[in-house]
Amino acid sequence: AAMTSGAARKDIDVPDYEERLEARLGKSREMMRVVLNKAKSNPKRVALAEGTDEKMIRAAYQIQEQGIAEPILLGDAETIRTTAEMLGLEFDPEIVDPAVDNHEEYGDRLHELRQRKGITRSEAGELISRDSNYFGSVMVEQGDADALLTGLTHHYPSALRPPLQVIGTAEDADYAAGVYMLTFKNRVIFAADTTVNLDPTADVLAEVTKHTASLARRFNVEPRAAMLSYSNFGSVENEGTRKPRQAVDILHDDPEVDFPVDGEMQADTAVVEEILDGTYDFTELEEPANVLIFPNLEAGNIGYKLLQRLGGAEAIGPMLVGMDKPVHVLQRGDEVKDIVNLAGVAVVDAQEE
Ligand code: ACO
């Protein structure tokens, strides 16, 4: 019986599964192709903070080979060269060693930026040589690299803090946020904030929505945003449900907002056309939302991981939005392809500087 059902599965489920997988990967490849082609048209210098890490070296090789960016590996030159050789990678990447290169200059700059935040000159020197997140952040702040990728070997907050302190947010932004692009067979979703703001206020939710909508446009996707909650348009009334509603009010009053946004609404309302067209036909959303704004970090982080693991979405991210210069903080365990994709996103950001 086991054999029969196994054979039946092979006949029916497997091709179907493979077809679905191919369709989904096709969609995400198509989305990334837009970005990677844009990156290749004018590649920029991308610093990889954890330059001695094998995955970073492999990613640097691919990034350089494909002409997506000019990678700069940060770390001990000897270690990087030996590792590249061991991996059988024939290339001669640019290497900058924080223990040796630009040490004084970057230490001075870090001190200048942080002297009124409790950092002495000798502490600044220590941070520059010991933590390549500080080194890389100053490098980008000074324009010696156009973008920074980090986070592979750090806990997310400790890799994120140096760029927030040194590079900070863009002129028109007060908050950074982490966005995942999730591709399914027939649709693409941008989910935010999945990695930064623990308990966002209505103002933060509104700002994150705007950043996420502009990011969607970089991928040639016209944004339709939903402010998510466990309540549908006032069906539950309390502080938690008021917050996303206020964020929608802020966006509706903002003359810069040129995309439909509505809420608060439940997740199924946001993505199921029949619900939007039926009970809630008054919403600004004529079609299901493709920008999903979660009410807090727990919901956002848990939500995107469930979509990825159970919903079968291909996830690209976390893309950090709202920063003054392109920085992306990878997650531990990310793969070479994640690094390459984020390098492409960073280059496209840098092109618009
Ligand atoms: N946007 C922009 N800048 C910010 C933000 C924000 N949301 N939050 C803090 N900053 C700035 C501050 O203004 C400050 O700058 P300043 O020193 O020049 O004034 C700097 O960052 C450091 O701020 P602190 O208050 O010292 O840092 P804090 O301890 O609050 O850390 C952090 C900020 C790291 C973003 C924190 O809020 C955090 O840990 N967030 C959650 C990160 C996380 O755990 N994500 C989930 C894990 S990701 C995964 O899936 C594995």
Side-chain angles (χ1 to χ4, degrees), residues 110 131 133-135 137 157-168:
L110 182 60
D131 186 341
N133 291 307
Y134 278 102
F135 187 94
S137 296
S158 61
L160 176 59
R161 210 170 275 115
L164 289 180
Q165 292 175 342
V166 172
I167 296 170

Side-chain angles (χ1 to χ4, degrees), residues 113-114 117 155-158 160-161 163-166 168-169 174-177 180 193-198 204 297 301 304-305 318 321-323 330-332:
L113 290 168
R114 305 298 296 174
K117 298 273 181 182
H155 286 298
Y156 192 87
S158 61
L160 176 59
R161 210 170 275 115
L164 289 180
Q165 292 175 342
V166 172
T169 51
D174 290 319
Y175 302 97
Y180 267 91
D193 170 12
T194 59
T195 61
V196 181
N197 300 279
L198 301 171
V204 178
L297 192 57
N301 193 276
Y304 100 79
K305 282 179 193 267
V321 292
M323 297 294 287
L330 299 148
Q331 304 215 35
R332 280 167 180 250

Side-chain angles (χ1 to χ4, degrees), residues 6 13 31 86 102 108 138 148 162 200 219 238 243 263 265 279 302:
D13 291 341
M31 301 298 298
M86 193 190 75
N102 302 344
D108 284 345
V138 174
L148 176 68
F219 287 86
N238 62 41
K243 195 172 66 168
M265 68 179 84
T279 318
I302 294 167

Side-chain angles (χ1 to χ4, degrees), residues 142-160:
Q142 290 289 284
D144 295 335
D146 301 307
L148 176 68
L149 297 190
T150 180
L152 212 52
T153 59
H154 293 80
H155 286 298
Y156 192 87
S158 61
L160 176 59

Side-chain angles (χ1 to χ4, degrees), residues 80-321:
I80 294 172
R81 288 208 183 91
T82 319
T83 311
E85 226 174 83
M86 193 190 75
L87 295 171
L89 303 174
E90 275 182 37
F91 77 135
D92 188 20
E94 183 175 349
I95 296 172
V96 172
D97 183 351
V100 186
D101 303 316
N102 302 344
H103 193 265
E104 283 303 305
E105 184 195 334
Y106 288 2
D108 284 345
R109 181 59 184 154
L110 182 60
H111 180 234
E112 198 179 342
L113 290 168
R114 305 298 296 174
Q115 58 195 356
R116 289 175 188 274
K117 298 273 181 182
I119 303 279
T120 64
R121 177 61 185 84
S122 71
E123 284 166 342
E126 268 278 292
L127 289 172
I128 285 293
S129 50
R130 210 189 48 219
D131 186 341
S132 64
N133 291 307
Y134 278 102
F135 187 94
S137 296
V138 174
M139 194 172 183
V140 170
E141 194 266 343
Q142 290 289 284
D144 295 335
D146 301 307
L148 176 68
L149 297 190
T150 180
L152 212 52
T153 59
H154 293 80
H155 286 298
Y156 192 87
S158 61
L160 176 59
R161 210 170 275 115
L164 289 180
Q165 292 175 342
V166 172
I167 296 170
T169 51
E171 217 168 291
D172 63 346
D174 290 319
Y175 302 97
V179 183
Y180 267 91
M181 180 173 81
L182 300 160
T183 48
F184 299 86
K185 189 178 172 194
N186 296 318
R187 64 168 92 183
V188 178
I189 296 259
F190 292 82
D193 170 12
T194 59
T195 61
V196 181
N197 300 279
L198 301 171
D199 189 15
T201 60
D203 284 317
V204 178
L205 290 176
E207 194 186 307
V208 169
T209 308
K210 285 168 68 173
H211 296 323
T212 310
S214 338
L215 180 73
R217 285 189 170 138
R218 297 256 167 98
F219 287 86
N220 294 346
V221 171
E222 255 322 283
R224 299 182 298 273
M227 208 66 72
L228 300 184
S229 179
Y230 52 85
S231 155
N232 275 317
F233 303 97
S235 67
V236 181
E237 182 59 40
N238 62 41
E239 204 188 325
T241 59
R242 267 195 297 274
K243 195 172 66 168
R245 204 174 315 145
Q246 283 164 359
V248 170
D249 289 342
I250 293 169
L251 291 164
H252 283 172
D253 287 342
D254 183 339
E256 275 179 16
V257 173
D258 58 354
F259 55 89
V261 48
D262 220 332
E264 89 288 3
M265 68 179 84
Q266 295 177 354
D268 54 350
T269 305
V271 299
V272 176
E273 189 142 22
E274 291 71 28
I275 306 181
L276 280 173
D277 285 350
T279 318
Y280 305 109
D281 65 352
F282 54 85
T283 81
E284 274 203 2
L285 298 178
E286 310 244 307
E287 290 172 65
N290 53 21
V291 169
L292 301 183
I293 305 300
F294 290 86
N296 59 37
L297 192 57
E298 280 95 340
N301 193 276
I302 294 167
Y304 100 79
K305 282 179 193 267
L306 289 175
L307 286 170
Q308 179 184 17
R309 300 294 180 174
L310 295 181
E314 180 82 355
I316 291 169
M319 296 177 266
L320 202 55
V321 292

